[in-house]
């Protein structure tokens, strides 16, 4: 077969996906861009207002706060989610048996919907009859307001981090299983083991995967919505970009400004992801 | 089986993917198209067997709604009498704002339900102005029996600004201060009929570790309405923010802070939602809650519901409220889509269903289930329990019955007012600042 014929099939097979993405991703994106220049009143009425929405964006203190909250969660996610996943992966990689068992156990939370987990945590954190306060009361201690203004965001970060640890864990385990055994044999001969082996050998060898995971974690954090919305209703200093955009677009029915916030989120996400890639720049390793 | 068949196969494959993606839309088209072709055949017989019609009814009678079963039963009654009609009972919970989005996107994208049960007033203005629903005036006038079944006041309450009635009401609602009498009696407190008694109750209960007033900051719709109604009176409340800020509104917000400082709100008021607040009251952990008539169906504990009464929110010193003003009305009703009305096959069935669902018998059943005021003329007002009876008495003796504030201001304005509650009670913002902010948003919406 010649290459020309092959290309035709490639085009044909690529078409459905391209069409799908155009309809469900690019079209809505450009539509949002279009809407960001309008003041909308409900669903049936809109008026062109030029750069007014962007002007509001720049001066919006609530948006600034939402950005900071999102960045704070991002820090937690990168340190704890990726960190714990890496740690678990290294440990599981070092045990001879039950790897499959641990993989399933750690992966399981990813399968549960974020809303379900959030509802679970609502019942943990509730001040009046939550699990945590019941335990405290049982021990004769003072009840704690878990979702107080100073603590709410961290309280929400806990399930957010926990939910996806398993996903990154599986990515790390898979990456580690690709490392050829001879590297470890060599390490053994050299007498390197334990923590040193992890830092000097395993992690550098899967650095490209770590980069992918961090990029995924960053973009994933920008989309956090369900945990915040269900656990704290985005109150008490927990408003993140996802919930702020939703409130503006859906609750306030101000689709124009909501779209502007969405565009801002896309730009911010691209910038942070590029920045992270630049910072983590390393040589590609081929085995 | 070489090139040509491969091309065919792959094209089919890609088409099947596309079809799969828009399968739902296709279904709808065929459903509405097939009957049309049937009408083209000349009608020779008058007694032709009725064609199969399928209707979609969208409402909020789902989820935890107390009238969910009564509503489904009324639909079933219709389908058993009219076996050719299939009804899709499409519902979404009214607890969050999601259903508004759903209704509006449906209306805006040519996916209108045949019958829609939804709010009247500002909420409906968009699709009413866009001509998505038909005025029901002529239909009502043509059927005296149906029209006379409604109480005139109820029907009047659903009239849109343009003078037409687009929605026929089912049950009305009232909001009020629900009080757990037992908690008050146990603590030697008088019921909060005036502001001083309210303050005494709040400070006494809060010292004893009982939540005085179960109210969330974020979903503070009812809190805002009642504090402002009490402070600004019926006229001030109903003026909204369009023509300036009524200085009495500030008093309403200041009164929230006054009660908050006495410990009125739950400790976690900032992060709970309305259903959790209702939960606190229903579990007997809170002494008072400002809620609507529909909420009492969710309080199942006999200790609570049998000891609950409802009263108007008390007047505050310096305020213009009478202490007998009530938020309520017939804020919702059934709409008939224009597209259904213009569809010869669906029209008769949809109108018949509309008349059935708003017949006095159905109205009575729904009213009994959700504790609302029946919109029918000759239906005896009786409550399912003492609380509901108290509620009807409260609504009957009210000096004014007012539509809620969120039907008078833009949604974004109302969000600003809601966000202002926590800021004011915790002292981060002054009432005047919050109202200025809201007024600013309202003006931008008017542009």
């Amino acid at each position: 077969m010649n290459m020309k014929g092959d290309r035709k099939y490639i085009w044909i097979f690529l078409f459905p996906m391209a069409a799908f993405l155009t309809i469900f991703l690019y079209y809505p994106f450009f539509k949002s861009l279009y809407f960001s220049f309008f003041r909308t009143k409900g669903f049936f009425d809109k008026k062109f207002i030029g750069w007014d929405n962007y002007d509001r964006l720049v001066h919006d203190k609530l948006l600034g706060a939402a950005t900071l909250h999102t960045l704070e969660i991002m820090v937690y996610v990168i340190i704890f989610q990726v960190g714990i996943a890496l740690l678990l992966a290294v440990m599981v990689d070092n045990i001879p048996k039950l790897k499959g068992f641990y993989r399933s156990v750690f992966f399981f939370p990813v399968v549960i919907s974020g809303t379900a987990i959030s509802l679970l945590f609502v019942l943990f954190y509730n001040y009046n009859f939550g699990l945590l306060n019941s335990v405290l009361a049982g021990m004769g201690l003072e009840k704690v307001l878990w979702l107080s203004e100073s603590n709410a965001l961290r309280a929400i970060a806990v399930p957010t981090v926990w939910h996806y640890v398993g996903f990154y864990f599986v990515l790390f385990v898979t990456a580690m299983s690709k490392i050829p055994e001879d590297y470890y044999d060599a390490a053994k001969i050299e007498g390197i083991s334990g923590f040193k082996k992890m830092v000097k050998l395993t992690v550098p060898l899967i650095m490209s995967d770590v980069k992918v995971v961090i990029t995924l974690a960053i973009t994933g954090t920008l989309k956090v919505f369900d945990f915040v919305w269900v656990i704290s209703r985005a109150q008490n200093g927990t408003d993140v970009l996802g919930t702020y955009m939703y409130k503006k677009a859906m609750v306030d029915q101000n689709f124009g400004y909501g779209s502007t916030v969405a565009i801002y989120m896309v730009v911010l996400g691209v910038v942070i992801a590029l920045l992270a890639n630049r910072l983590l720049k390393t040589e590609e390793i081929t085995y | 089986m070489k090139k040509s068949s491969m091309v065919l196969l792959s094209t089919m494959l890609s088409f099947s993917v596309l079809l799969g993606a828009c399968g739902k839309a296709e279904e709808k088209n065929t459903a509405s198209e097939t009957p049309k072709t049937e009408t083209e055949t000349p009608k020779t017989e008058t007694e032709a067997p009725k064609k199969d019609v399928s209707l979609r009814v969208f409402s909020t009678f789902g989820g935890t709604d107390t009238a969910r079963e009564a509503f489904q039963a009324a639909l079933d009654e219709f389908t058993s009498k009219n076996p050719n009609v299939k009804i899709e009972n499409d519902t979404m919970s009214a607890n969050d704002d999601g259903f508004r989005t759903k209704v509006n996107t449906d209306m805006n994208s040519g996916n209108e339900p045949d019958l829609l049960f939804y709010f009247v007033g500002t909420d409906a203005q968009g699709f009413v102005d866009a001509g998505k629903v038909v005025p029901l005036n002529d239909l009502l006038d043509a059927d005296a029996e149906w029209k006379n079944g409604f109480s005139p006041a109820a029907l009047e309450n659903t009239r849109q600004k343009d003078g037409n009635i687009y929605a026929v009401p089912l049950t009305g609602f009232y909001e009020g201060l629900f009080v757990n009498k037992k908690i008050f009696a146990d603590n030697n407190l008088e019921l909060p009929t005036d502001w001083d008694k309210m303050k005494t109750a709040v400070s006494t209960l809060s010292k004893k570790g009982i939540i005085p007033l179960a109210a969330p900051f974020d979903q503070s719709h009812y809190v805002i309405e009642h504090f402002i109604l009490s402070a600004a009176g019926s006229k001030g409340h109903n003026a909204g923010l369009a023509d300036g800020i009524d200085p009495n509104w500030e008093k309403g917000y200041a009164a929230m802070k006054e009660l908050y400082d006495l410990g009125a709100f739950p400790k976690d008021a900032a992060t709970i939602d309305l259903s959790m607040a209702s939960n606190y009251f229903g579990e007997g952990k809170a002494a008072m809650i400002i809620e609507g008539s529909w909420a009492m169906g969710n309080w199942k504990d006999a200790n609570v519901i049998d000891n609950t009464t409802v009263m108007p929110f008390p007047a505050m010193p310096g305020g213009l409220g009478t202490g007998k003003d009530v938020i309520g009305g017939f804020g919702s009703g059934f709409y008939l889509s224009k597209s259904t009305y213009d569809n010869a096959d669906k029209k008769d069935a949809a109108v018949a269903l509309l008349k059935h669902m708003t017949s006095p018998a159905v109205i009575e059943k729904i009213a009994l289930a959700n504790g609302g005021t029946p919109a029918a003329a000759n239906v005896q007002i009786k409550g399912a329990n003492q609380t509901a009876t108290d509620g009807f008495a409260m609504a009957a003796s009210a000096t004014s019955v007012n539509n809620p504030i969120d039907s008078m201001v833009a949604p974004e304005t109302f969000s600003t007012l809601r966000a202002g509650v926590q800021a004011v009670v915790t002292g981060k913002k002054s009432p005047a600042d919050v109202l200025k902010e809201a007024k600013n948003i309202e003006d931008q919406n008017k542009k």
Side-chain angles (χ1 to χ4, degrees), chain B residues 78-380:
Chain B
F78 184 81
T79 42
S80 65
K81 277 188 213 154
N82 302 278
N84 62 315
V85 181
K86 249 198 184 156
I87 297 175
E88 188 195 336
N89 184 11
D90 191 1
T91 60
M92 213 166 148
S93 170
N95 279 348
D96 215 331
D97 294 284
F99 78 102
R100 292 174 202 253
T101 314
K102 157 95 177 144
V103 165
N104 281 303
T105 35
D106 270 2
M107 281 293 183
N108 204 12
S109 59
N111 188 31
E112 302 100 322
D114 298 296
L115 287 186
L116 165 71
F117 189 81
Y118 194 60
F119 298 121
V120 297
T122 333
D123 279 309
Q125 202 62 50
F127 61 77
V128 164
D129 288 347
K132 299 284 178 187
V133 289
V134 281
L136 301 171
N137 313 27
D138 293 344
L139 278 175
L140 282 163
D141 289 339
D143 187 342
E145 196 196 332
W146 182 40
K147 188 179 182 181
N148 295 334
F150 294 104
S151 78
L155 212 48
E156 209 44 52
N157 207 276
T158 59
R159 208 178 275 279
Q160 285 296 135
K161 269 184 201 154
D162 64 1
N164 284 324
I165 292 171
Y166 294 89
V168 277
L170 200 50
T171 57
F173 71 97
Y174 55 80
E175 292 169 13
L177 182 68
F178 288 82
V179 181
N180 187 325
K181 289 185 285 188
K182 191 166 175 291
I183 296 183
F184 272 76
D186 290 350
N187 294 287
N188 296 318
L189 289 164
E190 283 179 274
L191 293 186
T193 45
D194 64 39
W195 197 250
D196 283 333
K197 287 176 190 161
M198 173 64 109
K199 284 202 295 190
T200 318
V202 165
S203 49
T204 314
L205 292 169
S206 114
K207 271 176 208 137
K208 294 199 175 176
I210 300 164
I211 301 167
L213 182 67
F217 289 151
D218 176 41
Q219 291 182 313
S220 47
H221 307 58
Y222 316 131
V223 172
I224 296 173
E225 287 154 14
H226 285 83
F227 276 82
I228 287 182
L229 182 61
S230 170
S234 172
K235 217 176 137 198
H237 172 274
N238 295 347
L241 284 170
D243 305 318
I245 303 168
D246 183 332
N248 286 312
W249 281 39
E250 284 176 33
K251 282 184 204 155
Y253 271 85
M256 286 178 209
K257 181 164 172 54
E258 186 184 10
L259 290 192
Y260 173 85
D261 290 341
L262 292 172
F265 292 86
K267 273 226 164 64
D268 49 0
T271 52
I272 56 171
D273 60 5
L274 199 55
S275 41
M276 187 57 85
S278 178
N279 214 342
Y280 288 166
F281 186 83
E283 300 266 324
K285 286 185 182 294
M288 294 178 279
I289 187 170
I290 303 173
E291 256 288 8
S293 47
W294 55 85
M296 55 185 132
N298 291 326
W299 303 324
K300 305 281 185 216
D301 186 353
N303 264 327
V304 172
I305 189 69
D306 292 348
N307 288 305
T308 295
T309 189
V310 56
M311 53 179 63
F313 193 76
M316 56 186 69
L320 297 179
T322 59
K324 281 191 155 194
D325 296 314
V326 167
I327 302 277
F330 292 85
S332 52
F334 276 110
Y335 292 87
L336 178 60
S337 293
K338 180 91 168 70
S339 59
T340 309
Y341 190 74
D342 292 342
N343 182 336
D345 297 300
K346 281 184 169 183
K347 182 184 164 183
D348 292 339
V351 171
L353 178 62
L354 178 66
K355 289 181 179 176
H356 169 74
M357 292 308 286
T358 51
S359 63
V362 171
I363 289 179
E364 185 175 3
K365 279 179 201 141
I366 303 266
L368 206 56
N370 68 9
T373 343
N378 297 311
V379 170
Q380 201 64 46

Side-chain angles (χ1 to χ4, degrees), chain B residues 419-440:
Chain B
V421 172
Q422 186 179 13
V424 166
V425 296
T426 53
K428 282 189 188 137
K429 281 179 188 165
S430 73
D433 287 344
V434 165
L435 292 171
K436 216 184 281 163
E437 218 177 296
K439 168 76 180 148
N440 194 13

Side-chain angles (χ1 to χ4, degrees), chain A residues 51-72:
Chain A
W51 293 97
D52 280 15
N53 279 328
Y54 288 92
D55 190 46
R56 179 175 173 184
L57 193 78
V58 176
H59 298 105
D60 193 340
K61 278 185 197 143
L62 293 173
L63 182 77
T67 309
L68 286 179
H69 299 149
T70 309
L71 292 177
E72 191 178 331

